[in-house]
Amino acid sequence: MDLEEAFQVVGEFGRHQKMMMSVLVLLQIYMACQSMLIVLVGAVPEFHAEPVTESGGGDLTQSVTFMDDVSSIVTEWYLVNQQAYKVSLAGSLFFAGVLVGNVLFGPLSDKIGRKPVFLTGLFFELLFAYGSALAPNYELFALSRLLVGMMNGGMALVCFILSQEYVGKSYWALTGTLTNMTFAVGIALFALLGYCIRSWRNLATAANCPGVLLFLFCIILPESPRWLYSRGRSAQAERVLQNFAVRNGRGRVALKLRRLPSSTGPDGPSPGLLQLATHPVLRGRTLVLMFVWYACSLVYYGLTMNASEEKGNLYLSVAMYGLVELPAYPLCIYVINKPWCGRRRSLSGFLILAGLFCLFSMAVPIHTGSVGGGSVLALLGKLMVSAAFNIVYVYTSELYPTIIRNAGLGVCSMSCRVGGILAPFVPSMRVVHVSLPFMVFCLIGVSAGTLGLLLPETLNKPVAETLEELSAPAYQRVLETQVRLLEDEHVSKHRGSECK
């Protein structure tokens, strides 16, 4: 039998898989805390600076007095005026690390396995995150954020892949949506934690502690059966699946996986980044997906920064920017599995709608402190691009064969991080014209949505395990024949029951 048939036998989303998914989903809360850490620990309170003349040489210095009792890296290391850029630099270093981690960890987990790369990344992220909390100076703090970003980017990528590969394909949309939804909830929970713990060092320590407990649970997670199967290690994949069956309450089942027509065995070469550029099918998909991921990130973070100009409670603002994403996820779950919409049309539709809402917001002024007008249209644009962001994770997983899935996701995530790095510069375009930022968001969103229509639909289609399956016409014909046979068998049984 093939892998999808095996999942039907052992259970696509049984009790054991739900327990494993709970660990991976809860880990998103920890990752959200690390991603948003600089927002609270880098808070800049109001301050007053006065020039002071030194008694010795007569040099002028500044005496800085902070007006609010706020604990942050700004107040501890006086990161104001000429030193203010260091706060943004620490945040940029984190996302630069995420970019590097995406590129390194993706191909590595395709070569040596999901579990060892995942556990190694999580362990060192915990270690470096405690380094952030204990850093005696800014330089070590900034270095620790770069290293945390590297581990976070790579580990999060593998974590998402595991959440897909532990379950049957029909549940990929559900697990992917739950993962992204929990990340949004994690942002809100981090804001609550920051409200309760005002010392930035204690906050950084407390935000890291749940990761330690989750790491202990992650140790007992098995290797991905899909990765084992794609590497020709069918016997090990069968043992993992048989363990799924026992823990799902289906008892000992007899499994014999079909041998893959692939040269990628345990000792054979593993496809890498080069295959994404040289393989004719993967090359086209990768180019389109890279631009789609870039657009999702640029529009999402750019709209967030445009909508974050309102003055008010910092903790409430952070929580709202997490919670505003939640309506997008049940909407995704509804449309992504509908035959009339599927993955391709829903992704393109949400991106185009995000661009159109940005276009409409240019005609309506955004008033600070207002909940109507252009601000609502901008938030609707963010809601749409959040939905597209959620879909693109699931869709990309289905477009790449198992043997190279992490490498493909890694390259797409790298493009995504480039969009995140450039996003802060887009709102500054308003000095040229007030509508220019929204025009950029509109053009990027609509063009990415249009390009997304070039990708194939994956709803109710089998997932390729190897590169040979992806490009072999014979394989496609066999699959079509199997689908027709199943449909004919279903019709025959239905007619037979009617005759009875």
Side-chain angles (χ1 to χ4, degrees):
M1 63 179 69
D2 63 25
L3 204 55
E4 294 306 325
E5 292 172 339
F7 269 103
Q8 293 285 345
V9 173
V10 305
E12 289 190 281
F13 196 45
R15 182 173 64 246
H16 183 53
Q17 285 130 309
K18 290 175 182 177
M19 293 176 62
M20 293 189 297
M21 275 302 305
S22 298
V23 176
L24 296 176
V25 166
L26 289 174
L27 197 58
Q28 297 297 316
I29 297 177
Y30 167 72
M31 288 187 281
C33 292
Q34 291 302 322
S35 299
M36 298 297 295
L37 186 72
I38 195 63
V39 177
L40 297 186
V41 304
V44 183
E46 293 186 11
F47 64 92
H48 179 65
E50 293 182 352
V52 176
T53 304
E54 294 184 359
S55 57
D59 295 332
L60 285 176
T61 61
Q62 283 190 333
S63 173
V64 178
T65 303
F66 293 102
M67 311 305 293
D68 299 323
D69 184 17
V70 174
S71 172
S72 69
I73 62 173
V74 175
T75 59
E76 180 165 338
W77 295 318
Y78 293 94
L79 303 181
V80 296
N81 296 333
Q82 290 82 5
Q83 301 295 315
Y85 75 93
K86 291 184 176 181
V87 179
S88 300
L89 178 60
S92 297
L93 286 174
F94 175 85
F95 285 104
V98 171
L99 188 153
V100 175
N102 288 157
V103 176
L104 293 180
F105 278 62
L108 190 61
S109 68
D110 284 334
K111 292 180 182 293
I112 67 175
R114 314 299 199 214
K115 183 178 178 179
V117 174
F118 170 67
L119 290 179
T120 301
L122 179 55
F123 174 80
F124 281 104
E125 180 174 358
L126 291 167
L127 190 64
F128 295 141
Y130 279 120
S132 297
L134 301 174
N137 52 55
Y138 171 79
E139 288 72 21
L140 288 179
F141 175 82
L143 176 61
S144 68
R145 296 317 296 166
L146 173 66
L147 296 174
V148 169
M150 288 179 60
M151 299 300 111
N152 183 280
M155 184 271 295
L157 181 67
V158 183
C159 178
F160 179 81
I161 290 293
L162 284 174
S163 71
Q164 304 279 279
E165 296 186 347
Y166 280 152
V167 301
K169 182 181 179 294
S170 60
Y171 286 91
W172 282 14
L174 175 62
T175 56
T177 299
L178 286 175
T179 298
N180 292 328
M181 185 186 302
T182 309
F183 188 90
V185 174
I187 296 176
L189 291 177
F190 177 64
L192 177 62
L193 184 66
Y195 179 79
C196 298
I197 304 176
R198 297 302 177 93
S199 169
W200 78 266
R201 291 187 183 273
N202 292 339
L203 175 61
T205 302
N208 203 41
C209 288
V212 177
L213 179 62
L214 291 170
F215 174 77
L216 298 178
F217 284 108
C218 289
I219 291 176
I220 63 175
L221 294 177
E223 180 57 271
S224 164
R226 293 183 183 274
W227 180 82
L228 291 170
Y229 182 58
S230 69
R231 294 292 289 161
R233 296 156 66 173
S234 299
Q236 291 176 268
E238 289 167 3
R239 287 196 292 270
V240 173
L241 291 170
Q242 287 168 346
N243 184 55
F244 283 6
V246 172
R247 294 177 179 269
N248 286 338
R250 300 199 176 191
R252 301 291 299 181
V253 297
L255 291 177
K256 188 62 177 177
L257 294 175
R258 183 183 299 119
R259 185 176 179 83
L260 287 174
S262 173
S263 60
T264 309
D267 302 317
S270 176
L273 295 175
L274 186 61
Q275 289 285 353
L276 298 177
T278 59
H279 194 283
V281 177
L282 291 177
R283 181 171 58 246
R285 292 184 183 182
T286 301
L287 289 175
V288 174
L289 285 171
M290 285 180 67
F291 184 72
V292 169
W293 280 69
Y294 166 81
C296 287
S297 179
L298 183 73
V299 177
Y300 175 84
Y301 289 110
L303 284 175
T304 301
M305 293 169 189
N306 263 295
S308 62
E309 296 177 354
E310 297 181 7
K311 302 296 182 181
N313 187 285
L314 173 63
Y315 305 100
L316 180 61
S317 298
V318 173
M320 288 304 298
Y321 288 124
L323 296 176
V324 74
E325 302 177 31
L326 293 182
Y329 300 116
L331 181 62
C332 288
I333 293 176
Y334 176 75
V335 301
I336 198 173
N337 289 317
K338 296 296 182 181
W340 50 266
C341 195
R343 275 68 159 148
R344 180 171 62 101
R345 292 176 181 173
S346 57
L347 173 65
S348 297
F350 283 129
L351 279 171
I352 292 173
L353 284 174
L356 292 178
F357 278 124
C358 292
L359 177 65
F360 297 151
S361 67
M362 292 190 297
V364 183
I366 298 179
H367 302 290
T368 301
S370 173
V371 295
S375 60
V376 170
L377 294 174
L379 287 175
L380 285 174
K382 186 187 176 186
L383 181 68
M384 294 297 106
V385 77
S386 297
F389 229 151
N390 176 57
I391 294 170
V392 77
Y393 272 94
V394 179
Y395 193 25
T396 304
S397 296
E398 296 176 345
L399 285 170
Y400 284 110
T402 301
I403 194 67
I404 202 172
R405 184 170 297 131
N406 250 14
L409 270 171
V411 171
C412 292
S413 296
M414 177 187 68
S415 178
C416 170
R417 303 310 165 191
V418 173
I421 293 172
L422 295 178
F425 297 97
V426 179
S428 62
M429 293 180 178
R430 68 170 62 91
V431 299
V432 179
H433 192 277
V434 67
S435 299
L436 190 56
F438 287 101
M439 179 60 71
V440 171
F441 297 144
C442 172
L443 293 175
I444 293 293
V446 172
S447 59
T450 304
L451 277 177
L453 293 173
L454 299 176
L455 296 170
E457 180 56 69
T458 59
L459 178 63
N460 298 326
K461 302 290 178 61
V463 178
E465 302 293 340
T466 66
L467 298 181
E468 288 78 4
E469 292 180 0
L470 184 68
S471 56
Y475 174 73
Q476 298 296 332
R477 289 195 296 270
V478 168
L479 291 175
E480 292 172 0
T481 302
Q482 290 177 346
V483 171
R484 285 196 299 269
L485 289 174
L486 290 174
E487 291 176 348
D488 293 341
E489 182 181 355
H490 176 74
V491 172
S492 299
K493 289 181 178 180
H494 181 67
R495 290 176 177 174
S497 61
E498 288 180 345
C499 293
K500 291 179 182 179

